Amino acid sequence: MLGFLTARQAGLDDPLRLRRAESTRRVLSLKLNPDRDVDRIHGNGINSLDIEAVEGRYMLSGGADGVIVIYDLENFSGKPQYTCKTVCTVGRSSRHVHKFSVETVQWYPYDTGMFVSSSFDKTMKVWDTETLKPADVFEFEGNVYSHHLSPIARKHSLIAVGTKNPKIQLCDLKSGSRIHVLQGHRAEVLSVRWSPRYEHILATASADSKVKVWDVRRASGSLLTLDQHNGEKSKASSEAVNTAHNGRVNGLCFTGDGLYLLTTGTDDRMRLWNSATGENTLVNYGKVCNESRKRLQFTVSHGCSPEFVFVPCGSSVAVYALHTGELVTMLRGHYNNVDCCEFHPDYQELYSGGKDCNILAWVPVLRASDVEEESNNAIKVGKKVWKRHKEQLCNQITLNNRLIDR
Amino acid sequence: MELPQRDRLSELVEELTTSGQPQLNQDKMKEIKKICKVSNDCIDHVYHSVMSQLNQEHAEIRLSAFQIASELFSRSHHFRTLLVDNFQELLELTVETDSEQPLPPPKEVARKLRSLAIRTVQSWQASYGMAYKKLALGYHFLKQVKKVDFQDAEARTVAERRREEERQRRMERIYKERVEAASIDMEESYPDIEATLTEMETCMRLLLPEFDLTGIHTTDSSPPISQTANDCPPVDEQPCCSKDLKDDGSEGMIEKKEESREENKNDRGEEEGKERSDVEERGDKAWSDGNEREEVKGKEVEDGEENEEDQEASSEEEEEEEEEEEKKHLDEDLFIRNSGLISHSYSLDLNLSPGLHVKETEDNEAVVSTVIDLHKLIKTKHLPAVQGWIQVFTKSGAEEQLLRRALDLKKSLEAALEKHKELHIDYKTRIRRVMKASSDGDEEDDDDEDDFDEVPEKEGYEPHIPEHLRAEYGLDPTPSTSTAPLPKKTPAKRPAAPPPLSSTSSTSSPPSSSRRLKRLTEEEQDPTCAAATLRLLRQNFPPPAEPSSSSGPSSDQKAADAPVVPFGLDLYYWGQEQPNAGKIIKSASQHQFWVHAEVEEEVENKELLAESRSRYISFPGSFTPVSHHCRAPLGNGNLCQRQDRNKCPFHGRIVPRDQEGRPCRQEDRLREEQEERRKREEQPDWRDADLMRDIEAATGEDLGSDRVGKKGKGKKKKYPHLSDLKQSANTSRSRLEKKVFNKSTMRRVADVLSKADSRKHDKFSNQFNYALK
């Protein structure tokens, strides 16, 4: 750390270097911190989390009870102990609340005045944050598993929606209507994701074990279908051609630069794909427990030198090195299955929500100073000495008493 | 950390957890703590061993491991961090947070473990919750997600509570259904039961006019007089007594009296008339004393209203007794002439029934049979049904009204039964009577005949009196004794006074033999009676000789001493020469036809002759029980207690042995030692089970150590203190299942069946229905 600082002072290093090194260190020291709590509002499992990109201050959470909560993550109290307070809630008492489990929540990428939520009650609602009323409601024929707004789109404001129907719906916020349908999947679409690099590129994952990459400007078909065997026919039976997993694919995530795509499936595997070519990079992450029948929200770190993947794995969150597939650590803290996790890129904090109704904040541990430890030891030693003195005194007193009695 | 410490820790943890005790051994726990103080490595080691023990599928092990953990938890920060880091697993293993991982058996201990764990978690949360985030999270998880009620004594999770509730609801539903069914049932059969009860009551009233249910219920408070009389039996003023007039000396008469007395409750007048006619039929009966007669009649009826009459009657009776006393002194002939009574002495037979007594007659036959039917109906149908309803109502806590109604029903039914019991209806006679009535139709004096055999009335001498009729004729059963007291039978010797009434009144049996004898003597006075003739005859003729009893008592005694031998030829020809003993016909040729008939000749065989004249009597000698023991030393330190005569089946020939069971003689001792040496050689050292197991573990090859180990004393249990989980599975059913559903057994059975099938197929294959199969 000091070395990095001096190098930075001397101007030897790129500013990015220090930043990367420090953020990597912080990610590696992520711990469940007793100083950081998140209000317990949800009475049921938490399905989705999203931290807004504008300020990095507000976090949305959608629960299985249909409740949507907005938290304030910023600690202005000046004390290390902080409980993330609830800013506002779309509770069960609200007239507009989702009837069933909220599956996905997402902030509008450019403004916290709007967010979008989709639910198993077959609707997707576009909310006004100020009034907490839906500005628009899209209704579908089946349960909505997932939706996504492009984080970088300038030329369009499309929401991709994956429902029980194999057709992917594209809803336009400008017109408030469903303008487009992408056909190609054969089962429900569990996850949809826009590329953070090209605004027209969309990846979708489906229960038919296929992952398709689309260019929404071309309606005729998908650009790519990811193949786990990279087209080697010998390894695949005829049916397994062009499948990404040997099971339902329920998780999708682009890396921060959009060059790679991560998928998880119910075959307990996670795969890393080159998003440009659709090639399986064959990174072996080992077994990634995944029993979810719904969408799994996982995330990738941002701004570290080797990037990390945070993926829910049973009741814990596994941290892998992205390119080597090495399991860095398991973050154990939840008491039931974890469904979603979200990385805060500014503070290198991780928020995870699970079926045990908890949202846990994983905060980097500050490096403890050595001086303090020493002083602690000194105090301890002193105490011991004092104790011994006291005992001796007591003994003497009792002896004296006895003598007096005689 | 040094190796010995490590080993010692593992050992201690294992010992503690496999002790099976509900509490930990404090000494061992102290030792663990002492070792743990040395370094964090030790704590690490303890933590891992405890966790591995917690993973065992045995609730007792888990409980003990959890106890160790909770002891260390409060002592060591390091242990706390370790445990809290893995708190999910701890909860899964002790609180059953994961429904797919239930706590292992035994159930009792598992429940205890869970409640202990929950209590401990709560106390941990109270003292360390601030410092350990995951602990707090776990506590909240238990509290909010698993909805564990920490105040609840049983510490049930919400799922359990729900299950319990569901069960309760189900039970409630079942109960409700049952109650409904029962109430409907009750509604339906209520009139039925009512009708039965009314009928029963009416029948009883018919049998016994004043006898009703209320009478029985109020027995304690205000008993009717007839019943008080029943309750305190033996006084001579007893109303229900009958005079036994010794008119014809037959008990049948008495019985008849009794019967008629009991019967005439319904229609007294009619009965009376009948009685009178009976009397008139027997011309010789001196039933002239109208007063007495009246009195008897009066007493026979057990009605409250006739109470006064009863008392009157009793007083009269007393008077009469006095009269009798006087009469005794009078001359008998004069008495007979004056009074017209056959007997100058009376004896009263008091028939006391312990309660009411209803005898069935032809008149009330129909009523009684109805009563029987009703009784049966109540007992077999109504009462069980009512009891069932009551059970259902009480169990399900149904409406009070229903329950009360059912209880009322039960009470009245039971009262009816009680009343029936008190009536003491005589059913046995009924059956006989029914048969009789069907055979000879209806006769006027039917009641006479049911106790008599139809015999022609005889007067005068009967030289041969059948044995069974002797009593009837006033003769003693055995002629040998009857002949003896003949000279004593003089008029002077007549018995003095009749025994006091109170002494005889205690029984309702037929008159005793002394009475009969007395009556007999009285009868002899009567010249018109057969007995008198007999006496005359006896005086004139010598007693007839009885050949059967002629043999003296001495010969009898001899016969008793003589041995009993099987009958044989020697006995057959006892004291005679046996005609052709020992002779055999010897034929020269065995052929049947080709030989002359004369050729046959007899040959005398000495042996056969001797055989036919002699008799074998085997003399085995007397049995002497064995008094010595084998006394060979047994494995458990005792001496063999077998009592064989010569040879113990386990220890060979029985030889004299000393206190410790060693043979006294030198050669026996040597022999025994030799045998032992031989036995030891059979089981060589290298076949030691432990050694073999070690070798097997090292080499991975099976040397058969299990066989060797098992051959001796069966399988050794690894942890003898833990309760055996397999024991519960070792039921007779499971053992049978193991046998019956054995693969080979199944195959064998299947083979046999298919063979039988195929045979049928072969035999009847030409028949279409077998051929098709």
Side-chain angles (χ1 to χ4, degrees), chain A residues 10-85:
Chain A
L12 294 171
D13 267 356
D14 193 358
L16 205 62
R17 220 173 127 82
L18 170 63
R19 191 192 150 104
R20 272 198 189 137
E22 182 57 16
S23 55
T24 308
R25 191 196 62 79
R26 282 173 68 92
V27 166
L28 286 176
S29 63
L30 278 180
K31 267 258 169 70
L32 198 61
N33 198 327
D35 291 340
R36 184 68 62 87
D37 272 328
V38 181
D39 269 350
R40 267 195 206 91
I41 303 294
H42 290 284
N44 220 323
I46 289 146
N47 286 331
S48 178
L49 287 173
D50 190 41
I51 298 169
E52 46 105 1
V54 183
E55 281 178 286
R57 184 175 170 183
Y58 297 106
M59 181 170 74
L60 263 176
S61 75
D65 49 358
V67 173
I68 299 167
V69 186
I70 300 171
Y71 301 96
D72 185 359
L73 300 180
E74 209 73 58
N75 177 9
F76 290 116
S77 66
K79 290 178 213 154
Q81 163 66 33
Y82 177 66
T83 304
C84 299
K85 286 188 202 69

Side-chain angles (χ1 to χ4, degrees), chain B residues 410-459:
Chain B
K410 192 189 168 199
K411 216 185 279 172
S412 47
L413 283 175
E414 273 173 352
L417 282 184
E418 181 72 17
K419 188 179 149 191
H420 174 266
K421 214 169 92 189
E422 247 168 72
L423 268 182
H424 295 291
I425 299 175
D426 207 347
Y427 294 128
K428 279 179 191 164
T429 47
R430 174 181 170 268
I431 294 155
R432 209 181 65 187
R433 286 195 53 79
V434 168
M435 278 153 53
K436 208 173 167 76
S438 62
S439 63
D440 57 10
D442 112 49
E443 277 173 271
E444 215 181 296
D445 51 354
D446 203 15
D447 7 359
D448 294 3
E449 268 155 23
D450 58 357
D451 293 306
F452 288 114
D453 287 332
E454 287 268 6
V455 223
E457 190 82 22
K458 275 180 193 160
E459 285 294 322

Side-chain angles (χ1 to χ4, degrees), chain B residues 660-677:
Chain B
E660 277 96 59
R662 279 188 304 250
C664 291
R665 282 197 300 264
Q666 188 63 33
E667 66 258 31
D668 291 332
R669 207 172 296 173
L670 280 176
R671 200 191 56 222
E672 221 151 85
E673 273 171 22
Q674 214 166 356
E675 226 158 77
E676 199 167 312
R677 211 174 305 134

Side-chain angles (χ1 to χ4, degrees), chain A residues 32-34 36-37 40 315 332-336 355-358 360, chain B residues 85-89 91 130-131 133-135 137-138 140-141 144-145:
Chain A
L32 198 61
N33 198 327
R36 184 68 62 87
D37 272 328
R40 267 195 206 91
S315 66
R332 297 173 58 82
H334 282 282
Y335 286 85
N336 214 329
K355 287 205 176 72
D356 60 351
C357 318
N358 282 330
L360 296 186
Chain B
D85 261 353
N86 205 1
F87 209 60
Q88 286 101 332
E89 199 182 337
L91 289 186
M130 284 288 112
K133 173 109 195 233
K134 269 185 78 173
L135 180 60
L137 283 174
H140 282 290
F141 171 69
Q144 288 179 346
V145 181

Side-chain angles (χ1 to χ4, degrees), chain B residues 715-732:
Chain B
K715 209 170 9 176
K716 202 180 87 191
K717 248 166 82 178
K718 201 174 174 193
Y719 305 116
H721 302 302
L722 289 177
S723 55
D724 194 359
L725 298 183
K726 279 177 194 150
Q727 207 162 33
S728 56
N730 188 17
T731 58
S732 53

Side-chain angles (χ1 to χ4, degrees), chain B residues 267-331:
Chain B
D267 35 7
R268 209 177 109 225
E270 191 187 313
E271 190 68 31
E272 247 179 323
K274 201 196 256 175
E275 190 95 356
R276 194 164 288 136
S277 68
D278 287 350
V279 171
E280 277 161 13
E281 262 177 27
R282 299 154 197 267
D284 54 338
K285 312 290 183 298
W287 254 127
S288 59
D289 195 338
N291 182 25
E292 188 180 300
R293 206 190 133 64
E294 180 73 32
E295 165 201 322
V296 170
K297 284 293 122 193
K299 280 171 212 155
E300 280 163 3
V301 182
E302 301 165 340
D303 284 350
E305 58 168 10
E306 279 174 316
N307 185 27
E308 297 150 81
E309 206 180 316
D310 282 345
Q311 285 186 341
E312 196 186 346
S314 61
S315 66
E316 274 170 4
E317 208 168 345
E318 270 176 288
E319 278 172 29
E320 192 191 346
E321 268 184 81
E322 285 163 29
E323 237 176 25
E324 278 177 55
E325 294 282 333
E326 287 168 31
K327 277 176 192 164
K328 236 182 349 184
H329 304 295
L330 294 174
D331 182 20

Side-chain angles (χ1 to χ4, degrees), chain A residues 157-177:
Chain A
S157 54
L158 289 177
I159 311 174
V161 184
T163 65
K164 203 165 182 181
N165 195 320
K167 293 171 190 164
I168 296 146
Q169 313 269 351
L170 295 177
C171 304
D172 194 357
L173 275 179
K174 278 182 196 155
S175 64
S177 62

